Amino acid sequence: MQGQNISDIIEEYLKRILADTHQIEIKRSEIAQLFNCVPSQINYVINTRFTIQNGYVVRSKRGGGGYIRIAKVNLISDADVLDDLMTVIGNNISSTQAFQIIQSLFEDNVLTQKEANLILAAIDQQTLAFEDKRVENAVRARILISILNRLKYDD
């Protein structure tokens, strides 16, 4: 574990648990205590590593009996998840976020490696080399939403 930061370690721990089950329910304070860190560190990991773009749905309940529920989802088998993903993309998306989505689709065996690489080439920063970053991110979003709609309605 040398060279790993605490966020990487927490992420690996949660993903190991998720490998055995489709969904986990955790208490932020318990995980923070386990890793001897502040609870906000757990929030950071969940908010940055367990996103819809990465193929996870996170639900939480605050308060004394509160919890955080993390579920690994198949992006294509659940139309609601795809709709959520398209909502997250919205009118613009960065190349980093777009890569995460394509990576998740590949990991879920929705895309072959060749298909994923072709899409990545089409939405790459060098391909969409617009002077205005906003235009680049908007075009990338349109391409991704079009691809997701095609996957959603294509049997």
Side-chain angles (χ1 to χ4, degrees):
M1 285 194 200
Q2 244 179 343
Q4 284 188 312
N5 65 39
I6 189 70
S7 295
D8 294 336
I9 294 167
I10 294 167
E11 175 188 16
E12 283 181 22
Y13 171 78
L14 294 173
K15 284 183 176 178
R16 269 197 315 267
I17 296 171
L18 277 165
D20 295 333
T21 180
H22 188 67
Q23 173 178 294
I24 60 173
E25 193 171 292
I26 61 170
K27 290 194 179 282
R28 187 177 68 135
S29 59
E30 290 175 4
I31 300 296
Q33 187 175 19
L34 178 66
F35 289 99
N36 195 30
C37 66
V38 294
S40 62
Q41 184 71 44
I42 306 306
N43 284 350
Y44 170 79
V45 171
I46 290 169
N47 292 335
T48 60
R49 316 273 175 106
F50 293 90
T51 62
I52 190 72
Q53 295 97 320
N54 291 326
Y56 297 94
V57 173
V58 177
R59 304 280 187 245
S60 63
K61 179 182 174 229
R62 299 210 179 263
Y67 60 83
I68 298 172
R69 187 174 295 142
I70 305 170
K72 176 75 173 142
V73 293
N74 183 323
L75 294 176
I76 296 303
S77 68
D78 187 345
D80 291 339
V81 173
L82 267 185
D83 290 337
D84 289 347
L85 189 55
M86 286 188 259
T87 299
V88 167
I89 293 169
N91 294 324
N92 65 72
I93 188 168
S94 71
S95 60
T96 302
Q97 293 170 320
F99 176 83
Q100 291 172 337
I101 291 169
I102 300 305
Q103 180 70 27
S104 292
L105 292 170
F106 171 70
E107 288 173 359
D108 283 349
N109 296 315
V110 174
L111 299 173
T112 65
Q113 185 171 2
K114 184 175 184 176
E115 292 166 337
N117 284 332
L118 288 170
I119 294 168
L120 289 173
I123 62 173
D124 186 72
Q125 284 179 319
Q126 292 175 340
T127 304
L128 303 177
F130 293 100
E131 298 256 338
D132 187 340
K133 221 29 158 173
R134 293 174 299 180
V135 172
E136 176 183 316
N137 290 343
V139 170
R140 184 178 295 110
R142 287 181 184 176
I143 292 169
L144 269 181
I145 287 175
S146 179
I147 289 167
L148 292 173
N149 273 318
R150 180 60 62 110
L151 289 172
K152 184 176 175 181
Y153 297 112
D154 203 21
D155 287 7

